Amino acid sequence: MSNSIDRIKKLKELLLIEREEDFFQYREQFLRAGIEQRKKNGVTWYPINVLSEELGYADFVHLEIERTNTLDTPHQFSSGKNVILFSNKNPDDVQELTGTIKQSGKNKMKIILHTDELPDWCYEGKLGVNIQFDDNSYIEMQKALDEVAGARNNRVAELREILEGTENPTFEKTDESIVIPQLNMSQNKAVRHILSANDIAVVHGPPGTGKTTTIVQAIRLVLQTESQVLVCAPTNTAVDLLTEKLIEQGVNVLRVGHPARVSEGLQKTTIDGQIQTHANYKDIKNLRRNAEEYFKMASKFKRVFGKEDAKQRAMYYNEARNCIKESRLLEDYIVDSLFEQAQVICCTPVTSTNKALAKKKFNTLFFDEASQALEAISWIPLLKCNRVIFSGDHFQLPPVVKSIKAKHEGLDRTMLDRLTKYQNVSTLLNRQYRMHQCIMAFSNNYFYNNELEADATVKDTLLSLNEEFELLNIPIELIDTAGCSFDELQNPETLSMSNKSEADLLFKHLTLLLQQYQLSAESSKISIGIISPYKEQIELLKEMMQDFDYTFYPVSELAVKTIDGFQGEERDVIYISLVRSNSSSEIGFLSDIRRMNVALTRAKKKLVVIMDTATIGNHPFYKAFIEYCEKNNFYKSAWEYNYDV
C-alpha cells in the first residue's frame, strides 16, 4: 500500500510544480507587464467596444465586444476561459467584473458576466478585458489527491490499489448473449466487457472506430440496472458530444456546467435551462419581480424620516427579503428534483464538485477522452463512484503539461496510459468508419499494430474515381518544400512560428483541387479542414482565408484550426501545414507524435500534408511517413505545382 500512497504524494508535488509554472507564465505575460505589453502578449484587449448586451440563461448578462486596436495581434482568449471586464477610466480605482468567454474570434468575443445587471461604470468608456488566472482546478485536484492518499479500508483505497497494480480488477462472467444489432463485433465485445467489470475497464477507441457510439449504447444498458450514472470528459466539447448522443437515444440527461462552456444547442439540458422551462419557473420570476418592487419602494424613503417612515421602509425590505428567500427555496427544490430525476449527469471533472453533487454517490462513472486527463483530475469524479469505465486513445492528444520538470517526472502519464499495460482490462475497437484505407494505413502500422480495418463503406472512398482528375483520385499527397527556401518565421513576442510561402502553396493547391472538384460534377458538397500545429500559422491562414472566396465552389464548410481544435472532428479533405523549415532540423513540439496522429486521422477522402522533409524528415516518425508516401506514390515536390520560388 505504501507504494501507491508514495506515488500519489509524488503526484501532489508534481502538481504544485505545474501550478507554479502555470502561474509563472501568467505572471510574466500579465502581472509584470504594462497594458500595452499585455495587449502584445495577447492577454488583454483594450480599449473595447460593446456591440450588444442582453440578459441570457441564468439571468447572466451576455456581452458581445470587439477590440479597437492591435487587430492583427494573436491572442490567448478562447471559449471557457475566465476573464475580467475592467474600466480604466480611473487608474487609481479600477472597477472590475468577472465573466466567462462564450465564444471568441479574431477581434470579437462573446462574454457571459457573473451578474444580472451592468454597473454604471460599464457605460462610461475605457473598458478592457483581461484573462484571469484560474486556480480552481488545481485546488480541486489537490483536495482529491489528499483524499486518495488518506483513504483506508474503503472503496477509494481499493480503487487506488487496483490502479497501482497491487490488486487485480475483477470481472463477472461475460454475457455473450448481449448483442446490439447496430454495433459491430468489436463494439459489442466492448459493451459486454463494460457490463462485466466490477472495478475498472478500458475501451480503446482509435480514430473513427465509433467509440462514442459504443459508450452511449453501454450507458443505455447500464441504466437498465442502475438508476443514474455519472459521465465525464476533460473538455466541454467532449461532454457536449456525449450529452447530444445520449439525448438522441431518449436518455434523460442533466448537463452540469457554466452556460458559457456549454454549446448553444444544449443550453436546454443545463440546470439553468431546465429551471427556465420548469412549470414553477413563473412563480420564481414573480417572486423576484415582487422583491425588486419592494426594494424600489424602500429606496424611495429619504435618509431623514420619522418613525412611521422607518417602520414602512423596514417592512418593504423585509418583504423583499422574504420574496428572495422563497424564490431561492423554490429554485433549490427544482434543482434537487432535476438531479434526482436525471438518468445521466454529464460534466467535466472539476464541475463534478458542484454543490448539488456534493453528497451524491454513483455506482458507475464513464470517463471519455481519458487520454487527455491528468490522473489527478480523473480522481475528482472517481471519488464519488464505485467503478469506472475509461474510454479514449493513448496514442492521441495527451494532457497539457506546461512544466518541463513535471512532465519529465511523469505528470502527463494518465490513468489510461497505466491501465492499458494491465492484462484483460482493455478492449480494442478495431473497425474504423471514417477514412480511406490508405489514410488509415500509416497510423494503423505505426501505432495500432495493423489491428484496424477500414469498413467497406469508407475504405475505397475518394473525392472522385475519375482518373482525369488527379487531385481527386489519390487519397494522400505529401508536398515537399525542401529546397524551395520556404523559411519559417518566429514571432518574437509569442515565440510561435509561421510560414507564409507554405500558406501560399496550400491555398494554391486548394484552389486547384476545388476547380477539379467543380469540373468533376460530383453531386455532394465537400467539407474542408486546414490544420497547423502553430497558432501563428493559424492566424496567418485565417487572415488569408478572408480573401479566399470558396462560396463559388461546392464546399459545405471550410474551417481553420489547431490540431487540438479538430480533436474528435472529421472533414472530407484535410490540409496540414507543418511550418518548420530551417537549416538545423529544429522541429520543436512537432516531435509530439500523438498530437500528429490526431492531425493525420481527421481526413475522410483526401489528406494533404505540406512539409520541408529536409528539416522534419530526420525524426523517426516523419521519416517513416515520408517513406510510406514514397512507397505508395503519394510523394510530390512543391516544384510540381510550378510554384514561383
Side-chain angles (χ1 to χ4, degrees):
M1 184 178 287
S2 61
N3 285 344
S4 62
I5 294 173
D6 288 345
R7 195 180 61 77
I8 294 296
K9 288 179 177 176
K10 178 65 176 176
L11 266 183
K12 278 193 66 183
E13 292 172 13
L14 295 179
L15 200 60
L16 282 173
I17 293 169
E18 172 67 6
R19 192 261 176 210
E20 286 170 9
E21 176 61 26
D22 196 2
F23 187 68
F24 171 78
Q25 291 185 18
Y26 171 80
R27 188 176 61 215
E28 290 299 302
Q29 290 183 321
F30 186 84
L31 297 179
R32 289 186 178 176
I35 198 164
E36 289 304 317
Q37 187 58 48
R38 296 204 309 265
K39 285 159 63 176
K40 290 178 181 176
N41 290 342
V43 294
T44 294
W45 282 11
Y46 179 84
I48 59 167
N49 284 334
V50 176
L51 300 176
S52 66
E53 169 198 342
E54 63 181 14
L55 204 60
Y57 275 107
D59 290 338
F60 286 148
V61 173
H62 292 220
L63 280 191
E64 184 177 13
I65 63 169
E66 66 175 356
R67 57 176 170 176
T68 57
N69 59 25
T70 58
L71 301 183
D72 296 322
T73 303
H75 62 79
Q76 299 180 38
F77 293 90
S78 58
S79 63
K81 283 191 176 180
N82 290 328
V83 293
I84 295 172
L85 179 74
F86 68 90
S87 167
N88 208 35
K89 192 170 181 65
N90 182 1
D92 296 325
D93 183 26
V94 177
Q95 304 282 351
E96 294 181 340
L97 263 179
T98 61
T100 305
I101 300 172
K102 176 68 181 173
Q103 190 179 326
S104 176
K106 184 181 178 184
N107 292 309
K108 291 182 181 179
M109 200 184 330
K110 289 182 180 177
I111 302 171
I112 298 181
L113 295 171
H114 304 151
T115 182
D116 59 359
E117 188 178 358
L118 284 181
D120 292 342
W121 56 262
C122 289
Y123 301 100
E124 295 172 359
K126 293 198 172 182
L127 293 179
V129 179
N130 292 327
I131 285 178
Q132 185 179 21
F133 184 76
D134 186 6
D135 216 16
N136 187 45
S137 59
Y138 289 108
I139 293 168
E140 295 300 339
M141 283 191 282
Q142 289 286 358
K143 280 165 60 177
L145 291 179
D146 282 337
E147 188 171 338
V148 176
R152 300 290 186 278
N153 304 316
N154 60 12
R155 187 55 177 157
V156 173
E158 290 172 358
L159 289 171
R160 181 189 65 212
E161 298 310 311
I162 290 169
L163 282 163
E164 188 64 28
T166 57
E167 298 287 341
N168 292 322
T170 62
F171 295 85
E172 300 297 323
K173 186 179 178 182
T174 305
D175 186 351
E176 299 294 340
S177 68
I178 297 172
V179 177
I180 301 170
Q182 60 265 44
L183 300 186
N184 64 38
M185 284 178 64
S186 68
Q187 291 171 330
N188 270 300
K189 182 182 175 184
V191 170
R192 291 193 290 267
H193 181 63
I194 288 167
L195 296 177
S196 70
N198 292 321
D199 312 293
I200 286 171
V202 171
V203 176
H204 181 194
T209 53
K211 172 176 59 66
T212 303
T213 300
T214 305
I215 294 303
V216 165
Q217 289 301 320
I219 292 169
R220 191 178 60 79
L221 288 187
V222 168
L223 286 170
Q224 292 179 5
T225 56
E226 298 175 21
S227 60
Q228 196 173 66
V229 299
L230 181 62
V231 173
C232 284
T235 66
N236 282 288
T237 303
V239 177
D240 284 347
L241 177 62
L242 280 165
T243 303
E244 195 176 305
K245 297 298 182 185
L246 285 163
I247 290 169
E248 287 173 7
Q249 291 293 315
V251 177
N252 181 359
V253 184
L254 182 62
R255 172 70 166 95
V256 182
H258 191 290
R261 297 187 176 104
V262 180
S263 68
E264 205 70 47
L266 294 174
Q267 291 291 336
K268 63 183 180 296
T269 69
T270 64
I271 298 170
D272 298 312
Q274 293 197 40
I275 286 173
Q276 292 188 13
T277 56
H278 196 276
N280 294 118
Y281 182 63
K282 63 179 184 299
D283 297 326
I284 294 173
K285 285 192 79 171
N286 287 336
L287 285 165
R288 286 177 180 167
R289 196 179 295 115
N290 290 343
E292 198 174 316
E293 288 300 319
Y294 282 126
F295 276 127
K296 280 181 182 175
M297 287 190 281
S299 66
K300 287 178 182 177
F301 289 92
K302 296 176 183 177
R303 287 173 181 249
V304 181
F305 46 73
K307 274 187 179 181
E308 285 303 313
D309 287 342
K311 193 175 176 183
Q312 188 71 26
R313 186 185 188 205
M315 186 192 77
Y316 285 142
Y317 272 129
N318 194 46
E319 288 295 332
R321 280 192 289 268
N322 286 338
C323 287
I324 290 170
K325 184 180 178 181
E326 200 173 331
S327 72
R328 283 176 180 163
L329 286 171
L330 189 53
E331 191 169 308
D332 288 344
Y333 164 76
I334 294 172
V335 170
D336 288 344
S337 67
L338 291 175
F339 275 95
E340 282 301 313
Q341 293 163 14
Q343 292 175 285
V344 175
I345 293 172
C346 283
C347 57
T348 60
V350 174
T351 312
S352 70
T353 60
N354 183 291
K355 65 177 182 179
L357 284 168
K359 294 179 181 178
K360 269 195 163 299
K361 292 289 181 184
F362 303 84
N363 187 53
T364 305
L365 165 66
F366 283 87
F367 200 114
D368 195 21
E369 302 296 0
S371 63
Q372 297 180 57
L374 294 173
E375 179 170 341
I377 212 165
S378 302
W379 273 115
I380 297 172
L382 185 47
L383 291 172
K384 300 177 179 294
C385 305
N386 288 321
R387 67 169 186 151
V388 58
I389 312 302
F390 288 113
S391 53
D393 181 8
H394 51 294
F395 297 123
Q396 293 191 63
L397 292 182
V400 174
V401 175
K402 295 182 178 180
S403 165
I404 295 170
K405 176 179 170 58
K407 186 173 184 177
H408 180 71
E409 295 189 28
L411 184 63
D412 66 339
R413 193 177 182 215
T414 68
M415 285 186 179
L416 192 73
D417 292 331
R418 296 163 59 76
L419 290 167
T420 50
K421 306 289 191 297
Y422 299 165
Q423 268 194 325
N424 304 321
V425 171
S426 181
T427 180
L428 175 73
L429 304 179
N430 65 6
R431 183 169 290 272
Q432 72 85 13
Y433 297 87
R434 174 180 297 160
M435 64 200 101
H436 189 283
Q437 58 188 341
C438 292
I439 299 173
M440 175 194 76
F442 174 72
S443 286
N444 191 19
N445 177 57
Y446 201 92
F447 293 103
Y448 305 110
N449 300 314
N450 286 319
E451 293 184 73
L452 302 185
E453 296 176 9
D455 190 72
T457 57
V458 298
K459 71 174 189 174
D460 298 315
T461 308
L462 295 164
L463 291 172
S464 174
L465 296 174
N466 189 334
E467 293 184 7
E468 181 185 345
F469 304 110
E470 184 191 1
L471 296 185
L472 309 183
N473 60 44
I474 53 173
I476 300 177
E477 282 183 74
L478 165 58
I479 304 177
D480 186 4
T481 66
C484 295
S485 299
F486 285 7
D487 295 335
E488 66 189 42
L489 184 66
Q490 185 176 48
N491 184 319
E493 292 167 358
T494 65
L495 303 182
S496 187
M497 300 284 181
S498 64
N499 193 319
K500 176 68 165 59
S501 298
E502 197 170 283
D504 287 337
L505 174 58
L506 187 154
F507 277 104
K508 178 169 186 177
H509 186 281
L510 176 57
T511 302
L512 293 172
L513 182 141
L514 290 176
Q515 287 171 350
Q516 286 195 16
Y517 192 73
Q518 193 168 41
L519 289 170
S520 73
E522 294 286 336
S523 58
S524 59
K525 289 187 173 184
I526 55 173
S527 57
I528 299 166
I530 300 176
I531 299 176
S532 178
Y534 290 94
K535 287 185 178 178
E536 195 75 16
Q537 185 75 344
I538 290 294
E539 292 301 322
L540 173 62
L541 289 163
K542 283 182 175 178
E543 191 177 320
M544 293 173 68
M545 202 174 84
Q546 291 177 356
D547 299 322
F548 182 77
D549 185 11
Y550 64 88
T551 57
F552 179 72
Y553 301 105
V555 175
S556 60
E557 181 185 9
L558 202 168
V560 180
K561 300 180 185 179
T562 60
I563 296 172
D564 295 46
F566 270 106
Q567 169 75 354
E569 297 190 18
E570 61 188 26
R571 298 291 187 275
D572 293 313
V573 182
I574 287 287
Y575 282 83
I576 304 174
S577 169
L578 291 181
V579 176
R580 301 310 297 264
S581 181
N582 55 69
S583 57
S584 53
S585 296
E586 290 285 335
I587 67 168
F589 62 78
L590 290 189
S591 57
D592 185 348
I593 61 174
R594 290 188 292 179
R595 194 163 249 103
M596 282 311 303
N597 184 37
V598 173
L600 293 172
T601 54
R602 299 304 98 195
K604 295 161 69 176
K605 302 174 183 178
K606 175 84 175 184
L607 172 66
V608 182
V609 181
I610 304 175
M611 73 159 84
D612 180 343
T613 60
T615 298
I616 301 172
N618 291 323
H619 188 284
F621 174 80
Y622 296 99
K623 184 172 184 285
F625 180 69
I626 294 163
E627 288 171 354
Y628 170 74
C629 291
E630 288 175 335
K631 179 182 175 183
N632 291 281
N633 297 317
F634 299 147
Y635 173 90
K636 291 188 178 182
S637 168
W639 295 97
E640 293 182 45
Y641 290 97
N642 299 315
Y643 194 81
D644 183 13
V645 295

